[in-house]
Amino acid sequence: MAVASGEEQILSIHNTHSTATRKENFVMDTRLKLVICAAGVFFCYFYYGILQETITRGVYKQGDNDEAEKFAYATCLVFIQCIINALSAKLALMLFGAPDDTTHNSVYALCATSYIGAMIASNSALRHVNYPTQVLGKSCKPIPVLILGVL
């Protein structure tokens, strides 16, 4: 068994310390990324709600006519949102690459149909309730499922 020289021992201690420091930095970087991403999602969702409520609850006048109209084009708004979502997804796939996908197109069609129906209903409901009330109502949907899952 060979005895390590003083210089080798110092290098061994330095490498061990360096590896531990890298792991700590990785964990800290991961936590920081999580906080930044969560804050970004929260901010975007909040701003999206403000814009959506402003559009759907706004009163619009046409020309010099004093007659005001309320927003009545929820389908058109959902169509524009879907176009923006599709463009964003295409950009993300171009930047980060697309994984192999074996999902049948019928599953995508079913998801898309339910998403469009929910968005149209959601935007139509905003004419009658404000956005925070709508979000609270949506967040209560899983409660019965959770209760029945426990029983």
Side-chain angles (χ1 to χ4, degrees), residues 88-106:
S88 299
K90 183 66 174 174
L91 179 66
L93 288 175
M94 287 176 14
L95 291 175
F96 302 111
D100 292 337
D101 188 12
T102 58
T103 309
H104 293 283
N105 286 337
S106 60

Side-chain angles (χ1 to χ4, degrees), residues 6 40-41 66 68 70 73 90 92 114 124 143 148:
V41 167
D66 287 337
K70 286 194 167 197
Y73 303 103
K90 183 66 174 174
S114 64
S124 297
I143 293 174
L148 290 175

Side-chain angles (χ1 to χ4, degrees), residues 108-138:
Y108 285 125
L110 181 63
C111 289
T113 304
S114 64
Y115 171 77
I116 289 171
M119 289 302 295
I120 291 172
S122 178
N123 288 337
S124 297
L126 279 176
R127 287 187 285 178
H128 307 289
V129 297
N130 60 12
Y131 193 75
T133 304
Q134 184 185 38
V135 170
L136 284 173
K138 284 182 179 181

